[in-house]
Amino acid sequence: MGSLQNQKLENGSTGTIKPLDPEEFRRQGHMVIDFLADYYKNVEKYPVRSQVEPGYLAKRMPDSAPYDPEPIEQILSDVQKDIVPGITHWQSPNYYAYFPSSGSIAGFMGEMLSTGFNVVGFNWMSSPAATELESIVMDWLGKMLKLPSEFLFSGGGGGVLQGTTCEAILCTVVAARDQMLKKIGRENINKLVVYGSDQTHSALQKAAQIAGINPNNFRAVATTKADAFGLRADAFRATVESDLKSGLVPLFLCATIGTTSSTAVDPLGPLCDVAEEYGIWVHVDAAYAGSACICPEYRHFLDGVEKAHSFSFNAHKWFLTTLDCCCLWVKDPGALVKALSTYPEYLRNKASETKQVVDYKDWQITLSRRFRSLKLWIVLRSYGVANLRKFLRSHIKMAKNFEGLIGMDKRFEVVVPRNFATVCFRISPAEFAGNHQVVSSEDAANNLNAKLLETINESGKIYMTHAVVGGVYVMRFAVGASLTENRHVILAWKVVQEHANALLTSS
């Protein structure tokens, strides 16, 4: 029986297929759930980073799609045989790369319901529940983060679920751009300047490019190790004043809580004070670290957010909610709507025209949008604030433990302060002191750490990624996978030591 129950009639013609036959859906759905349950049961056994070579899949696949239907049993068998080897297992307990993309039963069930309903919720009329649940959930989450009331619907602001931080930053850059151009004239777009630090995510530069900001007017202000790679307010001010003297117009600052390279934290209060003087829109990007800020002991990292214009974090990183789910709040929803709205005749309806509802199509780049709030709502209800905090704290504790293990081996050092659950470390240049190589000990340390990381990842036992901060190559150990336990962290350190021993001996 084919997956779509393609039935032949007596005259040889094909009958009507039933792509949503309830009983066939039930049968195949159980099979897929069983497949995934077995996957999670065994995911620890797979090499964490995929071991395939580029182009591997084309060698396993036929040249064209099948003419006749194939059974789900065969398809799932091929998933196991051909697809799983090409997956880097982000949900493995031995995954410590980039930032986490944590999953959960609640997140999966919410995703299933969202996909099952398959609504296209561009405006209130297209599915009232999708819009209203999103507004409610965003206020819930804003209160969990203790965001100022001005960011909540109940306080005149509001929240929206974007796909990713890239989209959230782009929407806010466009809103800020249009506000400013209304004052100075659209012909002056080439005078607008966008600011971040040299640690700010590349999403800011991409957003500026898409929004039409002159590439020469993108500023990545230098940071230093002395400031733990946070953006200093006086360095920001000096850059702004220099631009003003050149006849440019400062527009937008992206401040980061938990940078990608080292989880550095920009000081929001002082930066917002400078921005306020010059009429600059401040967006706070807490894509990774925002999750931890629901814990009272980490909320201080958001001090000063009350002076910002917008704030975002990714629930799909470290908050048990599947990709994609970026939470964006703005104090002035009207700025988004003015920059992003269109009103074609085919979307006109009484509810929208009475201004009694939110039409989220006007808060984002695309028209179509998924029912993302359903999975976030189910996560919040299934675990509650208490268990979400417990989950986050457990990862931070594991990262502290890993940091402690590093401290016990004098060959290694932690390069930057650990703020959350990511540890940046390396073999110390002291290991190269007194050598007679032409390169400096720092260069030698960078090269050796890069080689060490690659051999570790090639083993498939654990997976980490790297960053370069202040010219120093560091290995990033980001704890956050839902299945990770302290025993996995201890195993990871043993793997690091084993490979370091072999590499240092051969060197």
Side-chain angles (χ1 to χ4, degrees), residues 151-173:
F151 281 109
L152 309 182
F153 283 102
S154 55
V160 55
L161 291 174
Q162 305 279 353
T164 66
T165 297
C166 297
E167 296 169 51
I169 293 177
L170 176 56
C171 287
T172 52
V173 167

Side-chain angles (χ1 to χ4, degrees), residues 105-166:
I105 295 170
F108 297 155
M109 295 303 106
E111 193 72 71
M112 285 177 62
L113 285 170
S114 175
T115 302
F117 291 137
N118 201 25
V119 304
V120 185
F122 43 78
N123 61 12
W124 181 88
M125 187 63 73
S126 65
S127 273
T131 294
E132 296 194 13
L133 184 63
E134 187 161 335
S135 299
I136 290 166
V137 165
M138 291 302 289
D139 267 15
W140 280 11
L141 195 48
K143 290 173 183 175
M144 288 168 61
L145 289 162
K146 296 194 181 320
L147 291 182
S149 62
E150 296 96 321
F151 281 109
L152 309 182
F153 283 102
S154 55
V160 55
L161 291 174
Q162 305 279 353
T164 66
T165 297
C166 297

Side-chain angles (χ1 to χ4, degrees), residues 253-274:
L253 167 68
C254 182
T256 308
I257 306 300
T259 59
T260 301
S261 294
S262 65
T263 69
V265 174
D266 292 337
L268 296 186
L271 289 171
C272 287
D273 287 342
V274 174

Side-chain angles (χ1 to χ4, degrees), residues 175-245:
R177 178 200 67 188
D178 282 11
Q179 270 192 346
M180 185 62 74
L181 291 179
K182 190 174 181 181
K183 297 176 185 175
I184 67 173
R186 286 200 165 268
E187 68 278 7
N188 289 309
I189 189 171
N190 278 329
K191 293 183 179 180
L192 301 180
V193 187
V194 169
Y195 302 86
S197 82
D198 56 6
Q199 303 299 309
T200 303
H201 195 278
S202 60
L204 176 63
Q205 187 171 10
K206 186 172 186 175
Q209 289 174 200
I210 296 171
I213 305 301
N214 187 326
N216 294 325
N217 292 354
F218 178 79
R219 304 285 180 261
V221 183
T223 59
T224 66
K225 185 173 182 178
D227 300 304
F229 299 101
L231 174 58
R232 287 178 60 99
D234 57 356
F236 172 48
R237 180 189 294 277
T239 308
V240 169
E241 291 181 347
S242 174
D243 286 331
L244 286 169
K245 288 176 183 175

